[in-house]
Amino acid sequence: MAFKIRASKYRHIFCDAPKPEECWTGFRLATVTGDQQYIKASAKYFAVSLFGGGGPLMVGRLDRPGRFNPGTSPEIQGHTGAVLDCDFNPFDDSMLATASEDTTIKLWNIPDDWEPTNEKGLAQSGENLTESLVDLTGHRKKVTLLHFHPTASNVLGSCSSDYVVKVWDVEKGEEISSFDDNGGLIQDLEWDFKGDVLATSCKDKIVRIMDPRAGTVASTIENAHDGVKSVKLQFMGESGKLLTAGASRQSAREVKIWDLKNPSAPVHSETIDTASGVLLPLYDDDTNVLYLAGKGDGIIRPFEFEDKKPFLHRLNDGFRSTSPAKGVCMVPKRGLNVMGCETARLLKLTNNKGIHPLSFIVPRKSEAFQDDIFPDCPSTKPAHSADEWAAGSSKPPETMSLNPKERQNENGGGTKKKFRTMATVTKELDEAKERIAYLEQKLTEANISF
């Protein structure tokens, strides 16, 4: 039988180590531990939790690498405990949700003039952000994980150490649903492609597939992995498949793919290695490329997913480094250098060497836009509102072209919802009282009763 090489547009994808001037340094990370990624990014900003009282958070600009200076550079400070996780609104690059040990969830709006570092990469002074847009209270213990809904505007999923999963309408500041029948600490929280299903992995080794509107369990995967390491989840686009990353009984790291129509047994299982860290699966729905990054090691492995056996195809050696990763996140496609054939960018958080941007590039000779490796991606326009989604609406994400000639002005993230903070309402109330007092005085001077 003749040897045949599988054809793939991403077979030659590569990633070079970033230069020192392309990285972010100078900050001291929070000492909290858990199952979170420790870093999240939008197409404009990234956020990491810092060491210090009140749960400070560093928010940096993706276009301004440089050295952060604690005490000088602006931070977000509003919690009374350490920030455990955060997530950016997929439809507003400036809206950030934070989860804290103080049991609250806060929403923040990053100002347009936010610049912790200047164009030369030096720390720049600025005012700290201390006034949140919305405070969500309802969890009894520390909130550990957050995840925004992929298609509905202002819908947020959260879980905490009280073993409760909640779905919020952050625009109203209200709870949509709650589920408390988990058998232990929740290790991961993941929405599917349309946001109709919410999956959780738990310390009791059961993966629960939930109906997030009703707060009920639709199906379960019993004993997804035999090992004791955290199990991470990733829905594989519209294929109806779920990937779980965990460990075997012999502590070998492995990934399994499950068909949600028949979750009794995995359709594919693959052993990765015997390292001790937790695997973080990062999936690009548009290109079907999966990036496996491990906490505590410096290797990122790219795979291409195909909805038929053997499901996963190893692309190449990926990226290797001697600097272990504390956490990794993926930058949305809208924030990539598409004319440089950058098909993915991962932000790698290290313990003492800062944040490294890892650009995965498909080599092409042409300088024109490569539409075959850059299909349409999710846009900044939500497919439906929170009320429509809660009423049963099911829609795929709204998409946009990545071609610079066709891209519309995004303004950093679609149509923004105007949230009113307590400070804004108080100011408006004071102004109204002054106006009322002035008008009452005029009526009195004119001898008009009121």
Side-chain angles (χ1 to χ4, degrees), residues 269-379:
S269 179
E270 186 166 333
T271 300
I272 304 301
D273 58 19
T274 56
S276 59
V278 175
L279 279 176
L280 296 175
L282 302 170
Y283 184 62
D284 186 347
D285 292 311
D286 311 318
T287 61
N288 297 324
V289 177
L290 170 73
Y291 300 89
L292 284 181
K295 286 187 178 181
D297 63 62
I299 305 174
I300 296 177
R301 303 169 177 85
F303 294 82
E304 188 168 11
F305 173 75
E306 193 175 19
D307 194 13
K308 62 181 181 180
K309 290 186 176 182
F311 294 101
L312 291 179
H313 303 275
R314 185 75 173 265
L315 290 175
N316 52 36
D317 289 337
F319 177 78
R320 292 177 178 269
S321 158
T322 56
S323 300
K326 180 181 176 70
V328 181
C329 75
M330 181 178 283
V331 176
K333 297 293 275 296
R334 295 178 285 106
L336 304 184
N337 178 18
V338 295
M339 299 310 292
C341 295
E342 182 186 27
T343 57
R345 187 189 306 164
L346 309 184
L347 297 183
K348 173 185 169 183
L349 177 66
T350 62
N351 280 312
N352 49 23
K353 293 184 179 180
I355 298 171
H356 301 174
L358 306 179
S359 296
F360 286 82
I361 296 172
V362 175
R364 292 287 172 94
K365 291 182 179 180
S366 173
E367 296 182 358
F369 175 72
Q370 307 292 315
D371 57 356
D372 61 326
I373 60 174
F374 290 108
D376 290 354
C377 73
S379 71

Side-chain angles (χ1 to χ4, degrees), residues 203-244:
K203 202 170 183 179
D204 61 6
K205 300 183 181 181
I206 298 176
V207 174
R208 293 171 173 83
I209 313 300
M210 296 171 47
D211 178 355
R213 299 179 179 91
T216 57
V217 172
S219 62
T220 60
I221 300 175
E222 303 283 342
N223 204 31
H225 294 271
D226 295 325
V228 296
K229 293 177 186 174
S230 293
V231 174
K232 294 296 180 182
L233 308 174
Q234 182 64 62
F235 282 95
M236 310 305 283
E238 295 183 276
S239 65
K241 305 293 190 299
L242 173 68
L243 180 139
T244 60

Side-chain angles (χ1 to χ4, degrees), residues 99-216:
S100 173
E101 287 183 343
D102 63 12
T103 74
T104 65
I105 301 168
K106 291 179 182 286
L107 259 74
W108 310 86
N109 182 64
I110 312 301
D112 293 335
D113 58 353
W114 187 266
E115 292 187 2
T117 54
N118 59 24
E119 295 177 353
K120 297 181 179 179
L122 303 176
Q124 186 163 294
S125 61
E127 292 186 6
N128 291 338
L129 183 59
T130 58
E131 189 70 38
S132 59
L133 297 173
V134 178
D135 291 4
L136 302 176
T137 57
H139 287 292
R140 297 190 304 274
K141 293 185 178 181
K142 61 183 181 181
V143 186
T144 53
L145 294 172
L146 291 178
H147 205 329
F148 268 103
H149 194 283
T151 62
S153 63
N154 298 319
V155 175
L156 178 70
S158 68
C159 64
S160 77
S161 295
D162 58 8
Y163 308 160
V164 176
V165 176
K166 292 182 181 291
V167 178
W168 305 86
D169 181 343
V170 299
E171 187 175 329
K172 297 178 180 178
E174 297 176 353
E175 181 183 307
I176 296 176
S177 66
S178 180
F179 175 77
D180 58 3
D181 194 18
N182 292 290
L185 192 65
I186 298 164
Q187 298 170 337
D188 202 9
L189 183 76
E190 191 71 26
W191 296 95
D192 73 338
F193 184 72
K194 293 183 179 180
D196 294 333
V197 169
L198 185 62
T200 62
S201 60
C202 193
K203 202 170 183 179
D204 61 6
K205 300 183 181 181
I206 298 176
V207 174
R208 293 171 173 83
I209 313 300
M210 296 171 47
D211 178 355
R213 299 179 179 91
T216 57

